[in-house]
Amino acid sequence: MLDYRHCTLCPRACGVDRAAGERGFCQMPDHILAARAALHYWEEPVISGSFGSGAVFFSGCTLRCAFCQNGVISQENFGKELSTKELRAAFERLIDEGCQNINLVTPTHFLPSILPALTPRLPVPVIYNCGGYESVETLRELEKELRRCRPREIVRPVVLPHEEAESQQDERRKRARKEVEDSVEYTEYLKKLCKNVGTDDLFGFVVNPLVV
């Protein structure tokens, strides 16, 4: 079950009660904070297309990489509070502006609030744009929910966390090593989902490795 109480949405499994005001690794509350919701033209061409991706950049992150290009958003809590209803309105505005998909950027730690905004089904594909550090249990719950509301397709750009591990200082290397270990089960899960590409209209993948 995807829930903010005893939060285990990501592999950190902090176990904090975000609904009671406690904060875990991501430092995020139990409601959405988003830094930007606008047409975005600088994703991979298959995502940005000709008219832009409807990107919603969520605040906070489960990785907090040392060289994050969006560090102000991911690590400095920059963003505006949104209700699920307001998030849905943002999706619909972006669609009216001509976006070719809705692009959820770093959404994992807000999934309990995001999923209701995807119902009823949107008329464009939904992209789950994550950093690759994901809990398999959370992804299974996500898959179940998305199959229930049946969006047309899900594209998952994945940056595997081990690509950054060797660039860290000593105090970061231990954390990065754990992230590599945690990514093994996740990678196996993605391999199983990849077998459905071409036969299952729900899933597609874009893998974008980032080496620092």
Side-chain angles (χ1 to χ4, degrees):
M1 180 178 179
L2 303 179
D3 198 345
Y4 291 123
R5 294 170 295 181
H6 191 71
C7 185
T8 56
L9 293 170
C10 85
R12 307 282 177 196
C14 299
V16 298
D17 186 351
R18 291 166 62 187
E22 297 177 3
R23 303 290 179 96
F25 182 87
C26 69
Q27 290 297 300
M28 289 291 104
D30 67 336
H31 52 266
I32 296 170
L33 291 182
R36 187 172 188 265
L39 293 178
H40 189 58
Y41 302 93
W42 303 281
E43 294 282 9
E44 293 78 6
V46 67
I47 295 175
S48 293
S50 302
F51 305 106
S53 176
V56 180
F57 289 83
F58 295 98
S59 307
C61 184
T62 61
L63 271 175
R64 300 170 68 87
C65 299
F67 304 104
C68 179
Q69 62 181 349
N70 294 324
V72 173
I73 298 173
S74 67
Q75 300 178 33
E76 297 181 18
N77 301 347
F78 176 79
K80 175 184 177 181
E81 182 176 340
L82 290 179
S83 66
T84 295
K85 184 177 180 180
E86 289 170 328
L87 180 62
R88 177 71 185 200
F91 293 162
E92 292 173 349
R93 171 179 59 81
L94 290 170
I95 292 169
D96 288 342
E97 291 175 1
C99 74
Q100 295 180 272
N101 50 65
I102 292 297
N103 185 355
L104 308 176
V105 183
T106 322
T108 303
H109 46 291
F110 290 126
L111 279 177
S113 301
I114 294 171
L115 285 175
L118 295 176
T119 305
R121 170 177 164 173
L122 295 169
V124 297
V126 177
I127 296 174
Y128 189 80
N129 192 338
C130 66
Y133 189 56
E134 302 294 317
S135 161
V136 171
E137 290 183 5
T138 295
L139 289 179
R140 285 181 179 138
E141 286 294 319
L142 173 63
E143 180 183 357
K144 186 190 307 180
E145 287 296 314
L146 292 175
R147 287 186 184 279
R148 182 180 60 81
C149 65
R150 296 301 294 176
R152 211 184 315 171
E153 75 180 286
I154 298 296
V155 183
R156 299 177 186 269
V158 177
V159 180
L160 295 180
H162 64 265
E163 300 292 354
E164 188 192 351
E166 293 304 316
S167 301
Q168 306 302 308
Q169 297 177 355
D170 288 342
E171 63 271 20
R172 294 181 179 271
R173 284 201 178 105
K174 184 176 180 181
R175 192 180 86 192
R177 196 172 298 117
K178 181 181 184 302
E179 290 159 3
V180 173
E181 293 168 356
D182 288 342
S183 72
V184 173
E185 184 183 7
Y186 166 70
T187 302
E188 290 303 311
Y189 176 77
L190 289 186
K191 287 179 181 178
K192 291 178 181 178
L193 288 184
C194 280
K195 292 179 181 179
N196 292 327
V197 174
T199 60
D200 186 335
D201 66 353
L202 183 61
F203 293 103
F205 292 88
V206 176
V207 179
N208 180 10
L210 174 64
V211 180
V212 180

PDB file of all heavy atoms in Angstrom, residues 88-122:
ATOM      1  N   ARG A  88      -4.044  17.898 -10.823  1.00  0.00           N
ATOM      2  CA  ARG A  88      -4.866  17.481 -11.964  1.00  0.00           C
ATOM      3  C   ARG A  88      -5.136  18.667 -12.892  1.00  0.00           C
ATOM      4  O   ARG A  88      -5.060  18.541 -14.124  1.00  0.00           O
ATOM      5  CB  ARG A  88      -6.192  16.908 -11.468  1.00  0.00           C
ATOM      6  CG  ARG A  88      -7.166  16.515 -12.587  1.00  0.00           C
ATOM      7  CD  ARG A  88      -6.692  15.290 -13.337  1.00  0.00           C
ATOM      8  NE  ARG A  88      -7.556  14.989 -14.487  1.00  0.00           N
ATOM      9  CZ  ARG A  88      -7.620  13.801 -15.067  1.00  0.00           C
ATOM     10  NH1 ARG A  88      -6.905  12.789 -14.606  1.00  0.00           N
ATOM     11  NH2 ARG A  88      -8.399  13.613 -16.114  1.00  0.00           N
ATOM     12  N   ALA A  89      -5.421  19.828 -12.301  1.00  0.00           N
ATOM     13  CA  ALA A  89      -5.659  21.031 -13.108  1.00  0.00           C
ATOM     14  C   ALA A  89      -4.414  21.400 -13.901  1.00  0.00           C
ATOM     15  O   ALA A  89      -4.502  21.854 -15.053  1.00  0.00           O
ATOM     16  CB  ALA A  89      -6.098  22.184 -12.214  1.00  0.00           C
ATOM     17  N   ALA A  90      -3.222  21.209 -13.303  1.00  0.00           N
ATOM     18  CA  ALA A  90      -1.970  21.490 -14.005  1.00  0.00           C
ATOM     19  C   ALA A  90      -1.799  20.540 -15.190  1.00  0.00           C
ATOM     20  O   ALA A  90      -1.375  20.955 -16.283  1.00  0.00           O
ATOM     21  CB  ALA A  90      -0.785  21.358 -13.050  1.00  0.00           C
ATOM     22  N   PHE A  91      -2.133  19.253 -14.991  1.00  0.00           N
ATOM     23  CA  PHE A  91      -2.069  18.297 -16.098  1.00  0.00           C
ATOM     24  C   PHE A  91      -2.964  18.753 -17.252  1.00  0.00           C
ATOM     25  O   PHE A  91      -2.549  18.764 -18.418  1.00  0.00           O
ATOM     26  CB  PHE A  91      -2.538  16.910 -15.636  1.00  0.00           C
ATOM     27  CG  PHE A  91      -1.645  16.226 -14.641  1.00  0.00           C
ATOM     28  CD1 PHE A  91      -2.134  15.173 -13.879  1.00  0.00           C
ATOM     29  CD2 PHE A  91      -0.328  16.604 -14.479  1.00  0.00           C
ATOM     30  CE1 PHE A  91      -1.325  14.518 -12.978  1.00  0.00           C
ATOM     31  CE2 PHE A  91       0.510  15.960 -13.565  1.00  0.00           C
ATOM     32  CZ  PHE A  91      -0.009  14.906 -12.817  1.00  0.00           C
ATOM     33  N   GLU A  92      -4.178  19.125 -16.916  1.00  0.00           N
ATOM     34  CA  GLU A  92      -5.152  19.507 -17.950  1.00  0.00           C
ATOM     35  C   GLU A  92      -4.730  20.790 -18.661  1.00  0.00           C
ATOM     36  O   GLU A  92      -4.933  20.930 -19.873  1.00  0.00           O
ATOM     37  CB  GLU A  92      -6.525  19.643 -17.305  1.00  0.00           C
ATOM     38  CG  GLU A  92      -7.078  18.300 -16.831  1.00  0.00           C
ATOM     39  CD  GLU A  92      -8.354  18.419 -16.030  1.00  0.00           C
ATOM     40  OE1 GLU A  92      -8.725  19.567 -15.652  1.00  0.00           O
ATOM     41  OE2 GLU A  92      -8.994  17.379 -15.751  1.00  0.00           O
ATOM     42  N   ARG A  93      -4.124  21.714 -17.918  1.00  0.00           N
ATOM     43  CA  ARG A  93      -3.623  22.957 -18.542  1.00  0.00           C
ATOM     44  C   ARG A  93      -2.518  22.631 -19.541  1.00  0.00           C
ATOM     45  O   ARG A  93      -2.497  23.172 -20.665  1.00  0.00           O
ATOM     46  CB  ARG A  93      -3.109  23.914 -17.468  1.00  0.00           C
ATOM     47  CG  ARG A  93      -2.372  25.130 -18.038  1.00  0.00           C
ATOM     48  CD  ARG A  93      -1.906  26.075 -16.959  1.00  0.00           C
ATOM     49  NE  ARG A  93      -1.011  25.466 -15.995  1.00  0.00           N
ATOM     50  CZ  ARG A  93       0.292  25.287 -16.191  1.00  0.00           C
ATOM     51  NH1 ARG A  93       0.855  25.627 -17.355  1.00  0.00           N
ATOM     52  NH2 ARG A  93       1.044  24.755 -15.253  1.00  0.00           N
ATOM     53  N   LEU A  94      -1.592  21.760 -19.162  1.00  0.00           N
ATOM     54  CA  LEU A  94      -0.486  21.400 -20.046  1.00  0.00           C
ATOM     55  C   LEU A  94      -1.000  20.701 -21.306  1.00  0.00           C
ATOM     56  O   LEU A  94      -0.479  20.917 -22.409  1.00  0.00           O
ATOM     57  CB  LEU A  94       0.498  20.505 -19.296  1.00  0.00           C
ATOM     58  CG  LEU A  94       1.298  21.204 -18.183  1.00  0.00           C
ATOM     59  CD1 LEU A  94       2.046  20.181 -17.344  1.00  0.00           C
ATOM     60  CD2 LEU A  94       2.260  22.219 -18.767  1.00  0.00           C
ATOM     61  N   ILE A  95      -2.009  19.867 -21.142  1.00  0.00           N
ATOM     62  CA  ILE A  95      -2.611  19.198 -22.306  1.00  0.00           C
ATOM     63  C   ILE A  95      -3.262  20.222 -23.227  1.00  0.00           C
ATOM     64  O   ILE A  95      -3.121  20.168 -24.458  1.00  0.00           O
ATOM     65  CB  ILE A  95      -3.622  18.131 -21.838  1.00  0.00           C
ATOM     66  CG1 ILE A  95      -2.870  16.982 -21.151  1.00  0.00           C
ATOM     67  CG2 ILE A  95      -4.444  17.603 -23.018  1.00  0.00           C
ATOM     68  CD1 ILE A  95      -3.766  16.009 -20.418  1.00  0.00           C
ATOM     69  N   ASP A  96      -3.945  21.207 -22.642  1.00  0.00           N
ATOM     70  CA  ASP A  96      -4.562  22.271 -23.451  1.00  0.00           C
ATOM     71  C   ASP A  96      -3.508  23.088 -24.200  1.00  0.00           C
ATOM     72  O   ASP A  96      -3.765  23.616 -25.284  1.00  0.00           O
ATOM     73  CB  ASP A  96      -5.387  23.207 -22.561  1.00  0.00           C
ATOM     74  CG  ASP A  96      -6.676  22.567 -22.065  1.00  0.00           C
ATOM     75  OD1 ASP A  96      -7.094  21.555 -22.656  1.00  0.00           O
ATOM     76  OD2 ASP A  96      -7.248  23.069 -21.080  1.00  0.00           O
ATOM     77  N   GLU A  97      -2.301  23.177 -23.615  1.00  0.00           N
ATOM     78  CA  GLU A  97      -1.220  23.928 -24.241  1.00  0.00           C
ATOM     79  C   GLU A  97      -0.515  23.123 -25.329  1.00  0.00           C
ATOM     80  O   GLU A  97       0.372  23.648 -26.011  1.00  0.00           O
ATOM     81  CB  GLU A  97      -0.203  24.371 -23.181  1.00  0.00           C
ATOM     82  CG  GLU A  97      -0.753  25.432 -22.229  1.00  0.00           C
ATOM     83  CD  GLU A  97       0.219  25.775 -21.102  1.00  0.00           C
ATOM     84  OE1 GLU A  97       1.339  25.189 -21.073  1.00  0.00           O
ATOM     85  OE2 GLU A  97      -0.130  26.605 -20.248  1.00  0.00           O
ATOM     86  N   GLY A  98      -0.891  21.864 -25.488  1.00  0.00           N
ATOM     87  CA  GLY A  98      -0.372  21.065 -26.596  1.00  0.00           C
ATOM     88  C   GLY A  98       0.694  20.051 -26.250  1.00  0.00           C
ATOM     89  O   GLY A  98       1.341  19.508 -27.155  1.00  0.00           O
ATOM     90  N   CYS A  99       0.909  19.772 -24.958  1.00  0.00           N
ATOM     91  CA  CYS A  99       1.950  18.798 -24.608  1.00  0.00           C
ATOM     92  C   CYS A  99       1.603  17.419 -25.167  1.00  0.00           C
ATOM     93  O   CYS A  99       0.434  17.073 -25.341  1.00  0.00           O
ATOM     94  CB  CYS A  99       2.141  18.729 -23.094  1.00  0.00           C
ATOM     95  SG  CYS A  99       0.836  17.867 -22.204  1.00  0.00           S
ATOM     96  N   GLN A 100       2.640  16.627 -25.447  1.00  0.00           N
ATOM     97  CA  GLN A 100       2.439  15.307 -26.025  1.00  0.00           C
ATOM     98  C   GLN A 100       2.413  14.205 -24.981  1.00  0.00           C
ATOM     99  O   GLN A 100       2.133  13.046 -25.298  1.00  0.00           O
ATOM    100  CB  GLN A 100       3.521  15.040 -27.073  1.00  0.00           C
ATOM    101  CG  GLN A 100       3.403  16.003 -28.248  1.00  0.00           C
ATOM    102  CD  GLN A 100       4.461  15.774 -29.300  1.00  0.00           C
ATOM    103  OE1 GLN A 100       5.545  16.320 -29.235  1.00  0.00           O
ATOM    104  NE2 GLN A 100       4.144  14.949 -30.290  1.00  0.00           N
ATOM    105  N   ASN A 101       2.709  14.556 -23.749  1.00  0.00           N
ATOM    106  CA  ASN A 101       2.652  13.608 -22.647  1.00  0.00           C
ATOM    107  C   ASN A 101       2.703  14.384 -21.339  1.00  0.00           C
ATOM    108  O   ASN A 101       3.029  15.577 -21.321  1.00  0.00           O
ATOM    109  CB  ASN A 101       3.808  12.597 -22.717  1.00  0.00           C
ATOM    110  CG  ASN A 101       5.151  13.279 -22.890  1.00  0.00           C
ATOM    111  OD1 ASN A 101       5.612  14.011 -22.016  1.00  0.00           O
ATOM    112  ND2 ASN A 101       5.793  13.050 -24.036  1.00  0.00           N
ATOM    113  N   ILE A 102       2.375  13.718 -20.257  1.00  0.00           N
ATOM    114  CA  ILE A 102       2.561  14.274 -18.919  1.00  0.00           C
ATOM    115  C   ILE A 102       3.784  13.596 -18.325  1.00  0.00           C
ATOM    116  O   ILE A 102       3.858  12.368 -18.242  1.00  0.00           O
ATOM    117  CB  ILE A 102       1.320  14.045 -18.030  1.00  0.00           C
ATOM    118  CG1 ILE A 102       0.145  14.872 -18.547  1.00  0.00           C
ATOM    119  CG2 ILE A 102       1.630  14.388 -16.581  1.00  0.00           C
ATOM    120  CD1 ILE A 102       0.360  16.382 -18.511  1.00  0.00           C
ATOM    121  N   ASN A 103       4.757  14.401 -17.919  1.00  0.00           N
ATOM    122  CA  ASN A 103       6.077  13.931 -17.510  1.00  0.00           C
ATOM    123  C   ASN A 103       6.251  14.174 -16.005  1.00  0.00           C
ATOM    124  O   ASN A 103       6.450  15.304 -15.571  1.00  0.00           O
ATOM    125  CB  ASN A 103       7.124  14.697 -18.324  1.00  0.00           C
ATOM    126  CG  ASN A 103       8.536  14.224 -18.084  1.00  0.00           C
ATOM    127  OD1 ASN A 103       8.796  13.371 -17.242  1.00  0.00           O
ATOM    128  ND2 ASN A 103       9.473  14.805 -18.820  1.00  0.00           N
ATOM    129  N   LEU A 104       6.168  13.111 -15.214  1.00  0.00           N
ATOM    130  CA  LEU A 104       6.301  13.205 -13.755  1.00  0.00           C
ATOM    131  C   LEU A 104       7.778  13.073 -13.396  1.00  0.00           C
ATOM    132  O   LEU A 104       8.347  11.983 -13.428  1.00  0.00           O
ATOM    133  CB  LEU A 104       5.493  12.100 -13.083  1.00  0.00           C
ATOM    134  CG  LEU A 104       4.019  11.974 -13.517  1.00  0.00           C
ATOM    135  CD1 LEU A 104       3.371  10.780 -12.834  1.00  0.00           C
ATOM    136  CD2 LEU A 104       3.264  13.256 -13.222  1.00  0.00           C
ATOM    137  N   VAL A 105       8.420  14.191 -13.048  1.00  0.00           N
ATOM    138  CA  VAL A 105       9.865  14.203 -12.804  1.00  0.00           C
ATOM    139  C   VAL A 105      10.141  14.050 -11.303  1.00  0.00           C
ATOM    140  O   VAL A 105       9.767  14.889 -10.496  1.00  0.00           O
ATOM    141  CB  VAL A 105      10.501  15.508 -13.326  1.00  0.00           C
ATOM    142  CG1 VAL A 105      12.024  15.466 -13.131  1.00  0.00           C
ATOM    143  CG2 VAL A 105      10.147  15.730 -14.791  1.00  0.00           C
ATOM    144  N   THR A 106      10.796  12.950 -10.944  1.00  0.00           N
ATOM    145  CA  THR A 106      11.106  12.588  -9.556  1.00  0.00           C
ATOM    146  C   THR A 106       9.833  12.516  -8.701  1.00  0.00           C
ATOM    147  O   THR A 106       9.663  13.258  -7.740  1.00  0.00           O
ATOM    148  CB  THR A 106      12.110  13.579  -8.927  1.00  0.00           C
ATOM    149  OG1 THR A 106      13.078  13.967  -9.881  1.00  0.00           O
ATOM    150  CG2 THR A 106      12.828  12.937  -7.744  1.00  0.00           C
ATOM    151  N   PRO A 107       8.925  11.599  -9.044  1.00  0.00           N
ATOM    152  CA  PRO A 107       7.624  11.573  -8.377  1.00  0.00           C
ATOM    153  C   PRO A 107       7.490  10.614  -7.202  1.00  0.00           C
ATOM    154  O   PRO A 107       6.500  10.679  -6.457  1.00  0.00           O
ATOM    155  CB  PRO A 107       6.700  11.107  -9.496  1.00  0.00           C
ATOM    156  CG  PRO A 107       7.548  10.153 -10.276  1.00  0.00           C
ATOM    157  CD  PRO A 107       8.960  10.693 -10.201  1.00  0.00           C
ATOM    158  N   THR A 108       8.464   9.721  -7.011  1.00  0.00           N
ATOM    159  CA  THR A 108       8.272   8.568  -6.123  1.00  0.00           C
ATOM    160  C   THR A 108       7.752   8.929  -4.739  1.00  0.00           C
ATOM    161  O   THR A 108       6.821   8.310  -4.222  1.00  0.00           O
ATOM    162  CB  THR A 108       9.590   7.792  -5.988  1.00  0.00           C
ATOM    163  OG1 THR A 108      10.041   7.403  -7.286  1.00  0.00           O
ATOM    164  CG2 THR A 108       9.418   6.553  -5.121  1.00  0.00           C
ATOM    165  N   HIS A 109       8.346   9.932  -4.112  1.00  0.00           N
ATOM    166  CA  HIS A 109       8.018  10.231  -2.711  1.00  0.00           C
ATOM    167  C   HIS A 109       6.684  10.953  -2.549  1.00  0.00           C
ATOM    168  O   HIS A 109       6.266  11.217  -1.421  1.00  0.00           O
ATOM    169  CB  HIS A 109       9.150  11.046  -2.069  1.00  0.00           C
ATOM    170  CG  HIS A 109       9.642  12.180  -2.912  1.00  0.00           C
ATOM    171  ND1 HIS A 109      10.341  11.989  -4.080  1.00  0.00           N
ATOM    172  CD2 HIS A 109       9.542  13.529  -2.765  1.00  0.00           C
ATOM    173  CE1 HIS A 109      10.642  13.151  -4.615  1.00  0.00           C
ATOM    174  NE2 HIS A 109      10.164  14.103  -3.841  1.00  0.00           N
ATOM    175  N   PHE A 110       6.007  11.250  -3.676  1.00  0.00           N
ATOM    176  CA  PHE A 110       4.673  11.862  -3.615  1.00  0.00           C
ATOM    177  C   PHE A 110       3.593  10.981  -4.270  1.00  0.00           C
ATOM    178  O   PHE A 110       2.481  11.454  -4.518  1.00  0.00           O
ATOM    179  CB  PHE A 110       4.680  13.233  -4.307  1.00  0.00           C
ATOM    180  CG  PHE A 110       5.452  14.288  -3.575  1.00  0.00           C
ATOM    181  CD1 PHE A 110       6.451  15.004  -4.222  1.00  0.00           C
ATOM    182  CD2 PHE A 110       5.180  14.589  -2.248  1.00  0.00           C
ATOM    183  CE1 PHE A 110       7.162  15.995  -3.559  1.00  0.00           C
ATOM    184  CE2 PHE A 110       5.889  15.576  -1.577  1.00  0.00           C
ATOM    185  CZ  PHE A 110       6.889  16.279  -2.231  1.00  0.00           C
ATOM    186  N   LEU A 111       3.887   9.731  -4.527  1.00  0.00           N
ATOM    187  CA  LEU A 111       2.946   8.878  -5.251  1.00  0.00           C
ATOM    188  C   LEU A 111       1.549   8.796  -4.621  1.00  0.00           C
ATOM    189  O   LEU A 111       0.556   8.786  -5.350  1.00  0.00           O
ATOM    190  CB  LEU A 111       3.529   7.472  -5.404  1.00  0.00           C
ATOM    191  CG  LEU A 111       4.530   7.298  -6.549  1.00  0.00           C
ATOM    192  CD1 LEU A 111       5.085   5.886  -6.556  1.00  0.00           C
ATOM    193  CD2 LEU A 111       3.888   7.625  -7.894  1.00  0.00           C
ATOM    194  N   PRO A 112       1.414   8.743  -3.285  1.00  0.00           N
ATOM    195  CA  PRO A 112       0.054   8.671  -2.729  1.00  0.00           C
ATOM    196  C   PRO A 112      -0.816   9.868  -3.115  1.00  0.00           C
ATOM    197  O   PRO A 112      -2.047   9.744  -3.178  1.00  0.00           O
ATOM    198  CB  PRO A 112       0.297   8.631  -1.212  1.00  0.00           C
ATOM    199  CG  PRO A 112       1.652   8.029  -1.071  1.00  0.00           C
ATOM    200  CD  PRO A 112       2.435   8.591  -2.222  1.00  0.00           C
ATOM    201  N   SER A 113      -0.195  11.011  -3.386  1.00  0.00           N
ATOM    202  CA  SER A 113      -0.940  12.209  -3.789  1.00  0.00           C
ATOM    203  C   SER A 113      -1.055  12.339  -5.303  1.00  0.00           C
ATOM    204  O   SER A 113      -2.003  12.955  -5.802  1.00  0.00           O
ATOM    205  CB  SER A 113      -0.254  13.469  -3.242  1.00  0.00           C
ATOM    206  OG  SER A 113      -0.172  13.444  -1.839  1.00  0.00           O
ATOM    207  N   ILE A 114      -0.114  11.757  -6.049  1.00  0.00           N
ATOM    208  CA  ILE A 114      -0.102  11.883  -7.508  1.00  0.00           C
ATOM    209  C   ILE A 114      -1.099  10.942  -8.163  1.00  0.00           C
ATOM    210  O   ILE A 114      -1.818  11.323  -9.096  1.00  0.00           O
ATOM    211  CB  ILE A 114       1.314  11.620  -8.063  1.00  0.00           C
ATOM    212  CG1 ILE A 114       2.278  12.710  -7.609  1.00  0.00           C
ATOM    213  CG2 ILE A 114       1.298  11.527  -9.585  1.00  0.00           C
ATOM    214  CD1 ILE A 114       3.736  12.414  -7.932  1.00  0.00           C
ATOM    215  N   LEU A 115      -1.164   9.707  -7.694  1.00  0.00           N
ATOM    216  CA  LEU A 115      -1.994   8.705  -8.366  1.00  0.00           C
ATOM    217  C   LEU A 115      -3.461   9.107  -8.497  1.00  0.00           C
ATOM    218  O   LEU A 115      -4.051   8.906  -9.568  1.00  0.00           O
ATOM    219  CB  LEU A 115      -1.859   7.357  -7.651  1.00  0.00           C
ATOM    220  CG  LEU A 115      -0.548   6.608  -7.914  1.00  0.00           C
ATOM    221  CD1 LEU A 115      -0.473   5.347  -7.062  1.00  0.00           C
ATOM    222  CD2 LEU A 115      -0.404   6.263  -9.386  1.00  0.00           C
ATOM    223  N   PRO A 116      -4.080   9.697  -7.472  1.00  0.00           N
ATOM    224  CA  PRO A 116      -5.482  10.108  -7.649  1.00  0.00           C
ATOM    225  C   PRO A 116      -5.667  11.159  -8.749  1.00  0.00           C
ATOM    226  O   PRO A 116      -6.734  11.251  -9.348  1.00  0.00           O
ATOM    227  CB  PRO A 116      -5.860  10.677  -6.272  1.00  0.00           C
ATOM    228  CG  PRO A 116      -4.924  10.017  -5.322  1.00  0.00           C
ATOM    229  CD  PRO A 116      -3.640   9.878  -6.074  1.00  0.00           C
ATOM    230  N   ALA A 117      -4.594  11.941  -9.027  1.00  0.00           N
ATOM    231  CA  ALA A 117      -4.677  12.974 -10.066  1.00  0.00           C
ATOM    232  C   ALA A 117      -4.644  12.383 -11.468  1.00  0.00           C
ATOM    233  O   ALA A 117      -4.916  13.081 -12.441  1.00  0.00           O
ATOM    234  CB  ALA A 117      -3.538  13.985  -9.893  1.00  0.00           C
ATOM    235  N   LEU A 118      -4.330  11.110 -11.598  1.00  0.00           N
ATOM    236  CA  LEU A 118      -4.285  10.441 -12.900  1.00  0.00           C
ATOM    237  C   LEU A 118      -5.627   9.814 -13.280  1.00  0.00           C
ATOM    238  O   LEU A 118      -5.758   9.208 -14.341  1.00  0.00           O
ATOM    239  CB  LEU A 118      -3.190   9.367 -12.898  1.00  0.00           C
ATOM    240  CG  LEU A 118      -1.756   9.867 -12.745  1.00  0.00           C
ATOM    241  CD1 LEU A 118      -0.791   8.686 -12.673  1.00  0.00           C
ATOM    242  CD2 LEU A 118      -1.372  10.815 -13.869  1.00  0.00           C
ATOM    243  N   THR A 119      -6.594   9.931 -12.393  1.00  0.00           N
ATOM    244  CA  THR A 119      -7.938   9.404 -12.632  1.00  0.00           C
ATOM    245  C   THR A 119      -8.948  10.543 -12.669  1.00  0.00           C
ATOM    246  O   THR A 119      -8.942  11.400 -11.785  1.00  0.00           O
ATOM    247  CB  THR A 119      -8.321   8.405 -11.521  1.00  0.00           C
ATOM    248  OG1 THR A 119      -7.320   7.373 -11.442  1.00  0.00           O
ATOM    249  CG2 THR A 119      -9.663   7.770 -11.799  1.00  0.00           C
ATOM    250  N   PRO A 120      -9.825  10.621 -13.678  1.00  0.00           N
ATOM    251  CA  PRO A 120      -9.954   9.674 -14.793  1.00  0.00           C
ATOM    252  C   PRO A 120      -8.766   9.739 -15.744  1.00  0.00           C
ATOM    253  O   PRO A 120      -7.979  10.678 -15.705  1.00  0.00           O
ATOM    254  CB  PRO A 120     -11.248  10.113 -15.472  1.00  0.00           C
ATOM    255  CG  PRO A 120     -11.373  11.563 -15.120  1.00  0.00           C
ATOM    256  CD  PRO A 120     -10.820  11.710 -13.750  1.00  0.00           C
ATOM    257  N   ARG A 121      -8.688   8.728 -16.600  1.00  0.00           N
ATOM    258  CA  ARG A 121      -7.563   8.561 -17.516  1.00  0.00           C
ATOM    259  C   ARG A 121      -7.316   9.809 -18.350  1.00  0.00           C
ATOM    260  O   ARG A 121      -8.241  10.413 -18.897  1.00  0.00           O
ATOM    261  CB  ARG A 121      -7.865   7.374 -18.421  1.00  0.00           C
ATOM    262  CG  ARG A 121      -6.929   7.202 -19.589  1.00  0.00           C
ATOM    263  CD  ARG A 121      -7.322   5.950 -20.348  1.00  0.00           C
ATOM    264  NE  ARG A 121      -6.714   5.917 -21.669  1.00  0.00           N
ATOM    265  CZ  ARG A 121      -6.790   4.874 -22.474  1.00  0.00           C
ATOM    266  NH1 ARG A 121      -7.441   3.809 -22.105  1.00  0.00           N
ATOM    267  NH2 ARG A 121      -6.222   4.913 -23.654  1.00  0.00           N
ATOM    268  N   LEU A 122      -6.039  10.184 -18.438  1.00  0.00           N
ATOM    269  CA  LEU A 122      -5.632  11.323 -19.267  1.00  0.00           C
ATOM    270  C   LEU A 122      -5.588  10.910 -20.739  1.00  0.00           C
ATOM    271  O   LEU A 122      -5.329   9.745 -21.050  1.00  0.00           O
ATOM    272  CB  LEU A 122      -4.264  11.833 -18.825  1.00  0.00           C
ATOM    273  CG  LEU A 122      -4.197  12.437 -17.421  1.00  0.00           C
ATOM    274  CD1 LEU A 122      -2.745  12.641 -17.001  1.00  0.00           C
ATOM    275  CD2 LEU A 122      -4.952  13.746 -17.363  1.00  0.00           C
TER     276      LEU A 122
END
